[in-house]
Structures are given as C-alpha cells and as structure tokens.
Amino acid sequence: MNNFSGVNPSAGSRMDTSISGKRKMSDESGRCRVLIVEDDETIALNCVTFLEQRGHSVDVAYDGSAAIARLSSATFDVIVLDLGLPRVDGTQVLDQLRRQLGVAAAVLVLTARDELGTKLDCFSLGADDYLVKPFALAELEARVTALHRRASGAVVTDVVFAGSLRLDRRTRSVSVGEVPVRLAPRPMRILEHLLRDPGRVVPRSELESVLWPDVERDSDVLRSQVHLLRRALAEAGYAGLETVHGFGYRLRTD
C-alpha cells in the first residue's frame, strides 16, 4: 500500500545521517531536486523510491543537523521536512534555512502534528505547504510537483499532444486528429498521467498508485484498464500506446 503513518519504528542502529553522496543530483530540465528530511527510515526510503520512479532527483537527511549541513552545501527545488527530528527540531531547521541560510526552495512540512497552531507557526516561519501523516505517496508527489512548477514559473498548458493524440485538460476532452474519443474515468486518468511526459516509459507501479493510491491491486486490473484505453485510441486511429515489457507503458510522440 502507498499510505504511510508517521510512527517511527523501533529500529536499532541507523545508517549515516545523510545519504547525499549516494544519489546524483539531476540537472535535467523539468526535473525536481528534492531533499527529504525524515528520521523514520521506512517512510524516508519509500518517499525516495516513489519520487525517483517519477523522475525526480532525491536526497535524504535523517536528522536536523544533517539537513542544515546538506542545505549549506547543495541546492534543492523542494524540501520535504518532518518536524519531530532528532538533534535539531524541524521548526528550528525551517527557521534556520529561511533566516540564516537564505534558502529559497519550497518547503513542504510532512508531519503527524495536525494542530492548527503548529500549522500556522510553520507557515509563519516560511513553509509553503503542509501534509499530515498518514499520507498517500501519490499526493506527496503531486504536491512536490505543484510546488516546483509554481516556483519555476512553469506554465501548464490546457492542451497537450502526443503525435495526433490531443488532450484538453480544461474540458477533459480527447481526440485523435478530428476524431473525438470517449473514455471512462480510469482510462482517462491513465492517459492524463502518461501525457504529463509523453515519450517517457511510465512504470506499472506508478500508474497503479495513480489509480489506487491506498490499495494494492493485481497487475491484471491495471492491464484491463490499459486495454480499454488502447482500444478506444486505436478505434480513433492512434496506435502509439506502447507496452514496454517488464516495466510499463509510454505514448509515442511521432
């Protein structure tokens, strides 16, 4: 399941407080550089895996001191910040990165603390968004992407294309050339996600988390929804929905 609580496991020994050297930062256009500041290794590594599968470049710090050190030496687009951190509390990290380090990256607070006062304190210290545990990984990624898009000034166009395939996000209408395509809700969500980055191979697990963020599904359930989408597109003249065996799906752009 892609839903995680904020309860720390009773883990024994911990790895290094930062795994910054183990993941190369990406300079690709449109890719988001994310720092996860989270002392629960299970939550942190699940976030890393999920975000990296979606093309983001992710680094981790397991306590407040490691986060401050990392932010002093590297640049990120979005910081996902827990509050209940060892060594330096998350609110202190937030205050230092804004007041002392002058870090302009968007900050998403990810915590089990759901009191209004805590939320208001974080926003007053410079947080940009606030997500309460337990949370869905798909929602976390959506919020990270939105923060990055807003900060970069990227414009989201209403109409996107993959070859002759056209989707109008505003009206949620699909066509191939001049031929309209009618889609059920789940095939439509698959298409919308594939069209976020036409040509990219999207893992099956990513599409499953988009359709069913909190429930595990058998791969045959996704396959049947992709089949419905492929058939509807093919009937309108578009044959560019490809299966990459052993991995996932992509839309051809030629």
Side-chain angles (χ1 to χ4, degrees):
M1 295 175 63
N2 292 320
N3 199 46
F4 298 96
S5 71
V7 179
N8 289 336
S10 55
S13 61
R14 173 159 288 164
M15 298 182 294
D16 293 341
T17 54
S18 171
I19 58 173
S20 59
K22 298 181 181 178
R23 290 182 174 85
K24 184 178 180 181
M25 304 287 278
S26 173
D27 293 324
E28 296 178 39
S29 176
R31 300 308 185 197
C32 183
R33 296 163 296 177
V34 184
L35 176 64
I36 305 289
V37 187
E38 169 64 64
D39 67 319
D40 185 311
E41 290 181 11
T42 300
I43 293 176
L45 294 177
N46 276 313
C47 290
V48 169
T49 300
F50 195 86
L51 292 173
E52 286 187 338
Q53 285 178 346
R54 282 146 185 77
H56 303 297
S57 175
V58 190
D59 198 356
V60 178
Y62 288 110
D63 64 56
S65 293
I68 292 170
R70 196 75 189 100
L71 290 165
S72 300
S73 61
T75 301
F76 298 91
D77 299 306
V78 177
I79 301 162
V80 178
L81 178 65
D82 185 24
L83 295 183
L85 297 170
R87 302 181 72 181
V88 179
D89 184 77
T91 54
Q92 293 177 273
V93 173
L94 180 56
D95 185 54
Q96 287 191 44
L97 71 88
R98 290 300 193 218
R99 289 175 177 267
Q100 297 180 22
L101 300 178
V103 173
V107 176
L108 166 61
V109 173
L110 179 65
T111 179
R113 302 178 192 175
D114 60 356
E115 305 86 2
L116 176 60
T118 302
K119 295 178 182 179
L120 294 177
D121 287 344
C122 287
F123 284 121
S124 69
L125 289 172
D128 298 277
D129 199 357
Y130 198 105
L131 181 60
V132 176
K133 301 173 182 176
F135 64 97
L137 287 169
E139 181 179 0
L140 173 67
E141 196 268 338
R143 289 173 180 260
V144 165
T145 300
L147 288 170
H148 181 222
R149 184 172 60 236
R150 191 180 309 145
S152 64
V155 176
V156 180
T157 58
D158 286 336
V159 180
V160 289
F161 293 87
S164 60
L165 176 62
R166 177 185 185 273
L167 167 67
D168 187 323
R169 288 194 177 104
R170 183 177 58 83
T171 62
R172 302 193 83 234
S173 60
V174 180
S175 61
V176 177
E178 300 299 322
V179 181
V181 180
R182 297 177 62 87
L183 295 174
R186 286 199 175 103
M188 173 65 83
R189 290 176 66 188
I190 294 172
L191 180 62
E192 288 174 330
H193 194 76
L194 291 172
L195 279 169
R196 289 177 60 183
D197 192 358
R200 179 174 78 92
V201 179
V202 178
R204 288 192 300 269
S205 60
E206 182 174 330
L207 290 174
E208 287 168 353
S209 68
V210 167
L211 294 179
W212 306 284
D214 300 317
V215 181
E216 297 242 354
R217 294 284 181 173
D218 184 272
S219 59
D220 286 340
V221 180
L222 174 63
R223 192 176 296 114
S224 67
Q225 296 299 319
V226 172
H227 172 73
L228 292 174
L229 173 60
R230 179 180 282 122
R231 184 175 66 185
L233 296 178
E235 288 175 353
Y238 178 80
L241 174 52
E242 297 183 329
T243 300
V244 180
H245 294 287
F247 194 78
Y249 305 93
R250 69 179 169 197
L251 292 173
R252 284 208 321 266
T253 57
D254 54 353

